[in-house]
C-alpha cells in the first residue's frame, strides 16, 4: 500500500461503501440518500494505493465497525464533488489511511439533497464480491 | 370545532374542507375521511394497498434508534413518522408510489424516480417541513416549505412530471 499525497486529484476515484440496501435501486443505480452528509461531512475512501482486495477489505472493516452489512461500494471521481464546490480532503484514520472526508456542504438541507443527487447520478455501484 | 382548510393554491384533494359547525357537518367530514381512507386501500388508487404505508413503518422501525446507521444518525421519531404518514395521505389518489428512505438527520424521504438524472426526492422532518430536490437533465429545482394538511401545486407538479 502506497499512500503519499494528501492532495487528491480530480480524476482520482473515491469509494462510498454501501451499508444499506435501501441506497441501491432495483436497477443497480444509487439513491441520493447514500451521499447525504452527516454533521461531520461525507466519509469516503480513495482508491489510490489500494489494490482491489485491499479496498474491499477496508469496506468490510467499515461495515463491521458500524455493525452493518456491506452491500457494495459506489465509485465516483473526486472531480464530481469538487465541481459542486465541495471540499475533498484526506483524513487518514488508524484503520483506514485512505479515508477522505467530503466537506463544506451547504447548510440548507434542500441544497445538500441536490448535491447528493448529482453525486449519485455520477456514481457507479459495484456489488461486493 | 371543524377544521377549515383553504386550498387556493393546492392541488391535492383536501382531506377536510367545510365551513359548517353543526353535527351534520361533522358527520359529513368524518364520512369523507372514511371514504378517502377506503380509497387508499384500493389497488388502483391507494398507496396503502400498494404497501407504501407498510414500507414507511418498516423504515421508521429500522431507523428508530440513535446511530441507526452505525455512525451518528439521529433517530426517526414518531413525530416524523406521523408527518410522513400524513404526507402520504394527502397525496392525490392514484399518484405513483414513492420509495421510502431515511437520512442521518432523522428525516424520512420519498423518492419518485425515472432515471438517475430524472428524479424527485422529498424529505420530511420532525418539525413538519418538506425539503425537496428535483433533477431533470440539467434542470434543477430545490427548496423547502412547511407542510400541514396540504401539498403545494408545485410539488405535485414535480411528482407528475417525473412519473409522466
Amino acid at each position: 500500500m502506497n499512500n503519499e499525497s494528501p492532495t487528491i486529484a480530480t480524476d482520482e476515484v473515491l469509494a462510498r461503501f454501501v451499508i444499506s440496501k435501501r441506497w441501491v435501486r432495483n436497477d443497480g443505480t444509487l439513491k441520493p440518500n447514500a451521499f447525504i452528509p452527516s454533521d461531520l461531512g461525507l466519509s469516503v475512501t480513495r482508491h489510490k494505493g489500494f489494490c482491489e482486495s485491499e479496498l474491499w477489505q477496508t469496506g468490510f472493516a467499515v461495515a463491521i465497525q458500524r455493525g452493518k452489512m456491506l452491500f457494495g461500494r459506489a465509485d465516483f471521481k473526486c472531480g464530481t464533488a469538487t465541481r459542486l464546490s465541495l471540499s475533498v480532503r484526506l483524513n487518514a484514520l488508524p484503520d483506514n489511511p485512505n479515508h477522505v472526508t467530503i466537506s463544506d456542504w451547504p447548510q440548507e438541507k434542500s441544497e445538500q439533497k441536490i448535491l447528493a443527487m448529482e453525486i449519485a447520478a455520477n456514481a457507479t455501484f459495484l456489488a461486493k464480491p | 370545532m371543524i377544521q377549515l382548510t383553504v386550498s387556493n393554491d393546492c392541488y391535492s384533494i383536501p382531506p377536510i374542507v367545510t365551513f359548517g359547525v353543526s353535527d351534520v357537518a361533522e358527520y359529513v367530514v368524518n364520512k369523507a375521511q372514511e371514504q378517502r381512507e377506503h380509497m387508499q386501500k384500493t389497488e388502483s388508487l391507494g398507496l396503502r394497498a400498494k404497501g407504501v404505508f407498510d414500507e414507511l413503518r418498516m423504515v421508521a422501525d429500522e431507523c428508530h434508534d440513535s446511530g441507526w446507521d452505525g455512525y451518528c444518525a439521529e433517530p426517526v421519531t414518531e413525530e416524523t413518522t406521523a408527518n410522513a404518514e400524513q404526507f402520504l395521505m394527502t397525496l392525490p389518489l392514484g399518484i405513483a408510489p414513492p420509495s421510502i428512505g431515511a437520512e442521518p438527520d432523522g428525516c424520512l424521504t420519498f423518492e419518485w424516480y425515472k432515471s438517475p438524472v430524472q428524479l424527485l426526492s422529498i424529505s420530511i422532518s420532525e418539525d413538519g417541513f418538506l425539503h425537496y430536490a428535483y433533477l431533470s437533465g440539467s434542470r434543477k429545482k430545490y427548496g423547502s416549505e412547511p407542510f400541514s394538511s396540504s401539498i403545494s401545486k408545485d410539488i405535485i407538479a414535480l411528482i407528475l412530471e417525473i412519473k409522466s
Side-chain angles (χ1 to χ4, degrees):
Chain A
M1 187 166 35
N2 178 17
N3 177 29
E4 299 162 348
S5 170
T7 306
I8 302 170
T10 52
D11 62 350
E12 267 199 55
V13 182
L14 306 173
R16 175 76 169 154
F17 292 118
V18 176
I19 55 167
S20 169
K21 64 178 189 284
R22 295 189 186 276
W23 286 359
V24 187
R25 301 187 189 96
N26 292 340
D27 65 359
T29 58
L30 289 143
K31 293 187 177 180
N33 290 21
F35 301 96
I36 296 288
S38 70
D39 289 342
L40 303 173
L42 186 75
S43 270
V44 295
T45 295
R46 73 195 295 203
H47 282 218
K48 183 171 180 164
F50 273 163
C51 64
E52 192 70 0
S53 64
E54 283 168 331
L55 192 54
W56 282 121
Q57 212 173 311
T58 302
F60 281 112
V62 166
I64 288 170
Q65 201 173 42
R66 292 202 182 189
K68 297 287 172 186
M69 184 180 297
L70 182 71
F71 291 91
R73 69 178 202 249
D75 284 353
F76 61 99
K77 292 211 171 152
C78 172
T80 298
T82 54
R83 190 170 35 83
L84 299 171
S85 302
L86 297 169
S87 297
V88 182
R89 292 190 187 97
L90 184 66
N91 180 16
L93 298 175
D95 50 358
N96 185 2
N98 272 15
H99 179 256
V100 167
T101 301
I102 298 179
S103 56
D104 293 333
W105 292 78
Q107 288 294 309
E108 178 62 43
K109 183 165 174 72
S110 61
E111 280 188 73
Q112 289 183 2
K113 285 176 70 71
I114 198 74
L115 297 187
M117 216 172 247
E118 299 224 52
I119 297 174
N122 286 281
T124 303
F125 176 66
L126 288 89
K128 68 178 180 185
Chain B
M1 186 65 185
I2 303 297
Q3 179 180 340
L4 171 65
T5 302
V6 178
S7 57
N8 288 340
D9 61 351
C10 293
Y11 176 87
S12 58
I13 301 170
I16 303 169
V17 178
T18 182
F19 292 92
V21 296
S22 67
D23 290 343
V24 172
E26 187 159 356
Y27 174 82
V28 168
V29 162
N30 290 339
K31 278 296 169 189
Q33 203 159 347
E34 262 177 49
Q35 192 61 29
R36 189 181 173 84
E37 179 61 37
H38 173 74
M39 286 195 278
Q40 277 287 359
K41 292 175 186 168
T42 65
E43 280 289 338
S44 53
L45 294 176
L47 293 177
R48 198 175 291 284
K50 293 181 172 86
V52 181
F53 284 81
D54 290 342
E55 191 188 351
L56 177 68
R57 270 288 157 189
M58 205 177 314
V59 173
D61 288 345
E62 285 170 9
C63 305
H64 187 256
D65 298 322
S66 288
W68 53 263
D69 62 345
Y71 194 44
C72 55
E74 298 287 327
V76 172
T77 64
E78 280 300 324
E79 187 74 27
T80 304
T81 307
N83 290 342
E85 285 177 336
Q86 181 62 32
F87 175 81
L88 289 177
M89 282 297 298
T90 311
L91 288 169
L93 291 163
I95 207 159
S99 67
I100 311 290
E103 291 169 333
D105 60 358
C107 285
L108 286 164
T109 64
F110 305 99
E111 181 182 274
W112 286 268
Y113 167 83
K114 188 184 265 186
S115 80
V117 292
Q118 289 178 290
L119 69 159
L120 169 69
S121 176
I122 299 177
S123 304
I124 188 152
S125 61
E126 189 179 41
D127 60 3
F129 263 78
L130 300 179
H131 307 278
Y132 65 91
Y134 165 88
L135 190 63
S136 180
S138 57
R139 253 179 83 215
K140 294 178 232 192
K141 283 186 186 174
Y142 55 92
S144 300
E145 55 184 62
F147 168 71
S148 54
S149 59
S150 53
I151 303 170
S152 69
K153 247 193 322 199
D154 293 340
I155 286 193
I156 299 296
L158 293 179
I159 297 172
L160 296 176
E161 267 189 55
I162 293 295
K163 293 317 259 185
S164 62

